[in-house]
Amino acid sequence: MTSGSLLIVEDDEALRQGLRHTLEAVGFSPGEASSGEEALLALQHHPYETVLLDVNMPGIGGMETCRRVRQLYPLLPILVLTVRDEEKDKIEALDQGADDYITKPFQFLELTARVRSAIRRFRARTDSADRPITIGDITVDPSARRVTKHGKEVRMTPKEFDLLLTLMRHAGRPLAHQRLLALVWGAEYGGEREYLRTYMSQLRRKLEPDPSHPVYLLTDSYVGYRFRDP
């Protein structure tokens, strides 16, 4: 029994094959792609559960590959591998839809732990996409489009509900402004940060004990927003 399937997207053949052999040895079922174009084709033909994506590649490049994969497969975890460790690069990766960011050189045990965690999250998302989510005293029911706090219904506009559901489905992880706008408003959005400020303010007034000191709907400075880790 494998630990899960993942696609390794890396143009360095030696590193790519080394990762594949090592991941196979610990129970994963990895596939390979040497470019973003190959990765997009591979994802059409195999139900991978995670993508391990190098940023520095020829062709369409890692960031554009990340953006396209996120648009086509909204629930699929993307772990970005890069030698770049500047804050702006991390933010760009998150903006394009990455779920995690791993800097080379990396410890193999850390890498496998993050891959396993990503696969668990993916399976939980796909197995329970319509199940209610409860964190603290807040419950969101996707099927009924209903929000309760302490068991009492909280009225939500459609966009308030969509934003809250998106944040709670990714609880504990920062969602960059651009990605959050694309997930809730659509792929053509990305620069309308005032939308997020307005709706986050509205959600905090409805859900937080003290909106000026939120405990659920948190701001990650210069990056985006996240819902408290359960």
Side-chain angles (χ1 to χ4, degrees), residues 48-64:
Y48 290 107
E49 297 173 291
T50 290
V51 175
L52 195 57
L53 175 65
D54 181 45
V55 167
N56 298 313
M57 292 190 300
I60 62 174
M63 291 297 185
E64 177 62 16

Side-chain angles (χ1 to χ4, degrees), residues 28-224:
F28 290 100
S29 178
E32 294 181 41
S34 61
S35 67
E37 292 87 344
E38 283 187 17
L40 292 169
L41 285 173
L43 288 168
Q44 293 178 28
H45 297 99
H46 188 91
Y48 290 107
E49 297 173 291
T50 290
V51 175
L52 195 57
L53 175 65
D54 181 45
V55 167
N56 298 313
M57 292 190 300
I60 62 174
M63 291 297 185
E64 177 62 16
T65 301
C66 184
R67 186 187 69 80
R68 295 190 192 184
V69 171
R70 177 55 61 227
Q71 286 184 339
L72 293 168
Y73 309 96
L75 298 180
L76 185 65
I78 303 171
L79 309 184
V80 168
L81 283 176
T82 179
V83 295
R84 297 182 294 184
D85 195 25
E86 294 184 16
E87 189 69 20
K88 63 181 180 64
D89 296 321
K90 182 175 182 179
I91 292 171
E92 184 183 3
L94 292 170
D95 273 340
Q96 297 305 324
D99 291 273
D100 207 346
Y101 185 96
I102 305 170
T103 305
K104 301 175 184 176
F106 49 81
Q107 295 293 323
F108 186 72
L109 289 177
E110 178 189 6
L111 176 66
T112 55
R114 293 198 189 189
V115 170
R116 286 194 178 96
S117 178
I119 290 173
R120 283 196 301 269
R121 290 197 304 269
F122 175 72
R123 290 174 178 174
R125 288 182 208 169
T126 53
D127 290 346
S128 59
D130 292 323
R131 293 180 187 173
I133 304 169
T134 298
I135 300 175
D137 54 17
I138 297 173
T139 297
V140 170
D141 186 337
S143 296
R145 291 187 67 83
R146 184 171 181 261
V147 178
T148 59
K149 182 181 178 183
H150 293 302
K152 295 182 180 179
E153 184 169 1
V154 180
R155 297 287 183 181
M156 293 276 163
T157 67
K159 274 291 180 281
E160 287 172 351
F161 181 90
D162 292 342
L163 178 57
L164 178 63
L165 178 60
T166 300
L167 287 164
M168 290 183 71
R169 278 179 169 165
H170 297 81
R173 285 171 292 146
L175 288 176
H177 299 108
Q178 184 175 340
R179 183 181 177 193
L180 195 49
L181 283 161
L183 288 171
V184 177
W185 276 269
E188 66 273 22
Y189 290 82
E192 298 82 357
R193 294 190 183 187
E194 67 276 11
Y195 289 16
L196 294 176
R197 287 193 292 270
T198 298
Y199 279 93
M200 289 297 289
S201 177
Q202 292 170 188
L203 286 175
R204 284 167 173 162
R205 285 199 299 269
K206 292 182 177 185
L207 297 173
E208 295 285 2
D210 179 357
S212 62
H213 296 88
V215 295
Y216 289 109
L217 296 153
L218 308 179
T219 299
D220 276 7
S221 297
Y222 308 110
V223 176

